[in-house]
Amino acid sequence: MRTILVTGGAGFIGSNFVQMVLQEHGDYRVVNLDKLTYAGNLENLEGFLDHPNHIFVKGDICNGELIGKLLKEHAIDAIVHFAAESHVDRSLEGPAVFIDTNVTGTLKLLEAARDYPLQKFVQVSTDEVYGSLGTEGKFTESSPIRPNSPYSASKAAADHLVRAFGHTWGLPYNITRCSNNYGPYQFPEKMLPLMINNALHDKELPVYGDGLYVRDWLYVYDHCTAVWKVLTEGRAGEIYNIGGCNEKTNLEVIGIILERLQKPKSLIRHVKDRPGHDRRYAIDATKIMTELGWKPSVTFSQGLAKTIEWYLTHAKWLERVVSGDYEKYYQEMYSGR
Ligand code: NAD
Ligand code: DAU
C-alpha cells in the first residue's frame, strides 16, 4: 500500500482526483490536506469521506510543522499538490492571499519534502504561466514563462521554486501545466458553471469584452488521469503540458450551454472586460501523449453534456454553494460592470 498526500483535495479538481484514486487505485491511501477556504467543500467528497483509504485533515499548507508531521506520521510516499487560490478575477482584487498560499504554501511543502525521503512531488500548475497566445501556435513545455495576472505569476513563482528544489536538493518532481478544466464540483465563480447557474435561473450571462477569448477545454476526469500518469510514470524533473485540443471561444461555449438548457441567447450580456485578459490559450500535449500514453476519454461535446447533466442533478449542491458569501461576491464583482 502506498500513501499520497493530496493538498486541496476538497476543491474542484482535487476532489475529482481523490475520488478517482479511491475508486480506481485500491492499493493507494490518500491523506487529504485542505484548509476549506470558500472553494473547499466537504460535500465534494460525499460518499468518500469515510472511505477506509481516505484520511481528511483540515489544515493550511503554510503550516510547515503540520506538513512535516503528516509526512512522517502517515509515511507519505508522494505529494500531489493541488491546493491554491485559483481564480484570476479574485487575484486582481486581492493578490496577497495568492502569494501566501500559492508561493509561501508551496515553499513550505517543498521544505518539508526536502527534509524527508519523498519519492515524487507533483506540482499541479497551469498553462496560464505561459501567458497569452496570438491566433497561431500552441504552448509547449519549452515556451517562455510570461504570466500576466497575479494568479498566474504566483503559480509561475511556485513552479520555479519546485524546479529550484529539484536542481539544488535533488527533489524528484514533476510539474504539470493544464488548460481550462470543466466538470462536476466546479465552483460557480469560474465561467462555465457560472453561466450554467445563471442560465438555469434566467439571469443575464456576463460575457467579458467581445467574448472571443479562446480557452482549450479539458474534462476534469481527464486532467486527473493525466496527473496520475505523471505521478506514477513521469520522469523526475520533467514538465508535462496537459490539454484536450478543444479550443473554443467563450461565446461558442456559452452558445452550447444555452442550446442544451433551451434558454434564449438574449440572456447574453457583454460586460466590462477583465483587465489584462489573456486572449488565447492552446496546449500542445504531444509529450504526455507520446511519452506516457495519456489521452482524453471524452470529446468536448460529451464532457459538456455530462457536466450540464451533473449540475441539473445536483441542484441542492449548487443551491448551497451559491448562497451566503457567493451572493456578496457576485454583487461586488458584477453589479454595475
Ligand atoms: P479550487 O479553487 O476549486 O480548489 C482549491 C482548493 O485548495 C480548495 O479546496 C481550498 O480549500 C484549498 N486551499 C486553498 N488554500 C489552501 C491552503 N492555504 N491550504 C490548504 N488548502 C488550501 O481550485 P481548482 O480549480 O480545483 O484548482 C486546483 C489546482 O489546479 C490549482 O493549483 C490550480 O492552479 C490548478 N489548475 C486549475 C485549472 C482549472 O481550470 N481549474 C487548470 C489548470 C490548473
Ligand atoms: O487555463 C487554466 C486556468 O483556467 C486555471 O489555471 C485557472 O485556475 C482557472 O480559473 C482558469 O482560468 P480562466 O481565467 O481561463 O477561467 P475563468 O473561468 O475565470 O474564465 C474563462 C474565460 O471566460 C475567460 O476568458 C474569462 C471569461 N469569463 C469569465 C467569467 C468568470 C467571462 O466572460 N465571464 C465571467 O463571468
Side-chain angles (χ1 to χ4, degrees):
M1 173 79 68
R2 286 167 174 268
T3 307
I4 50 178
L5 174 65
V6 173
T7 69
F12 163 47
I13 307 172
S15 64
N16 277 280
F17 182 81
V18 169
Q19 291 196 20
M20 181 201 72
V21 176
L22 296 175
Q23 279 175 310
E24 299 177 17
H25 304 283
D27 50 340
Y28 276 77
R29 204 159 58 113
V30 174
V31 178
N32 182 353
L33 173 65
D34 198 297
K35 187 179 175 182
L36 297 180
T37 67
Y38 76 92
N41 183 354
L42 288 179
E43 271 190 66
N44 298 357
L45 294 161
E46 215 171 349
F48 294 89
L49 265 179
D50 298 329
H51 191 288
N53 287 351
H54 181 228
I55 298 162
F56 182 80
V57 180
K58 182 174 182 220
D60 194 330
I61 56 166
C62 296
N63 182 346
E65 211 178 303
L66 171 66
I67 297 157
K69 187 170 148 269
L70 290 176
L71 292 179
K72 289 195 193 95
E73 201 171 285
H74 298 286
I76 301 291
D77 296 294
I79 297 178
V80 185
H81 177 32
F82 290 97
E85 287 294 332
S86 67
H87 192 37
V88 173
D89 290 328
R90 287 186 196 253
S91 81
L92 306 178
E93 299 298 314
V97 67
F98 285 73
I99 305 305
D100 293 345
T101 287
N102 301 0
V103 185
T104 307
T106 304
L107 176 63
K108 295 289 176 187
L109 284 167
L110 290 167
E111 283 176 332
R114 177 194 55 194
D115 302 335
Y116 175 89
L118 197 74
Q119 287 171 31
K120 181 68 76 71
F121 185 101
V122 180
Q123 159 74 356
V124 180
S125 189
T126 168
D127 60 356
E128 295 201 13
V129 299
Y130 297 125
S132 186
L133 291 165
T135 48
E136 298 293 315
K138 293 183 178 210
F139 297 129
T140 70
E141 287 79 0
S142 50
S143 295
I145 303 295
R146 286 187 182 133
N148 286 324
S149 71
Y151 161 69
S152 53
S154 68
K155 292 295 290 187
D159 289 8
H160 286 316
L161 282 170
V162 172
R163 189 187 163 279
F165 271 66
H167 178 83
T168 305
W169 290 289
L171 181 78
Y173 75 89
N174 287 121
I175 297 172
T176 61
R177 295 191 176 134
C178 189
S179 56
N180 286 61
N181 284 216
Y182 66 99
Y185 305 106
Q186 188 167 30
F187 190 81
E189 64 187 352
K190 305 285 162 50
M191 191 272 268
L192 209 137
L194 185 147
M195 299 301 172
I196 293 175
N197 182 50
N198 282 16
L200 283 173
H201 294 93
D202 298 306
K203 272 174 72 176
E204 285 178 341
L205 310 189
V207 173
Y208 296 167
D210 63 8
L212 298 178
Y213 293 86
V214 173
R215 296 293 183 265
D216 182 353
W217 295 94
L218 183 70
Y219 190 59
V220 63
Y221 175 79
D222 290 329
H223 185 188
C224 294
T225 60
V227 170
W228 183 260
K229 276 268 181 198
V230 171
L231 167 71
T232 54
E233 297 173 38
R235 283 183 295 132
E238 294 293 316
I239 297 166
Y240 294 94
N241 281 354
I242 304 169
C245 273
N246 281 309
E247 283 185 59
K248 298 268 179 280
T249 66
N250 295 336
L251 281 175
E252 280 177 293
V253 175
I254 291 164
I256 303 172
I257 293 172
L258 288 173
E259 204 179 296
R260 295 220 191 226
L261 295 177
Q262 297 186 312
K263 298 287 182 178
K265 282 207 163 149
S266 55
L267 284 178
I268 292 175
R269 182 157 164 262
H270 289 267
V271 300
K272 191 164 158 250
D273 211 345
R274 171 188 280 175
H277 199 167
D278 285 339
R279 190 63 170 169
R280 175 174 165 256
Y281 303 144
I283 281 278
D284 180 343
T286 308
K287 181 173 173 181
I288 188 167
M289 288 176 133
T290 54
E291 203 180 285
L292 304 184
W294 170 84
K295 61 177 181 356
S297 67
V298 291
T299 62
F300 182 65
S301 168
Q302 291 166 332
L304 193 54
K306 276 157 88 97
T307 303
I308 294 173
E309 183 59 22
W310 188 87
Y311 280 95
L312 288 173
T313 54
H314 289 75
K316 286 269 172 262
W317 180 94
L318 192 55
E319 210 177 287
R320 279 194 284 273
V321 162
V322 298
S323 61
D325 284 351
Y326 179 82
E327 213 20 72
K328 194 164 157 260
Y329 165 82
Y330 197 88
Q331 285 305 323
E332 279 170 14
M333 202 58 95
Y334 293 96
S335 68
R337 186 162 187 158

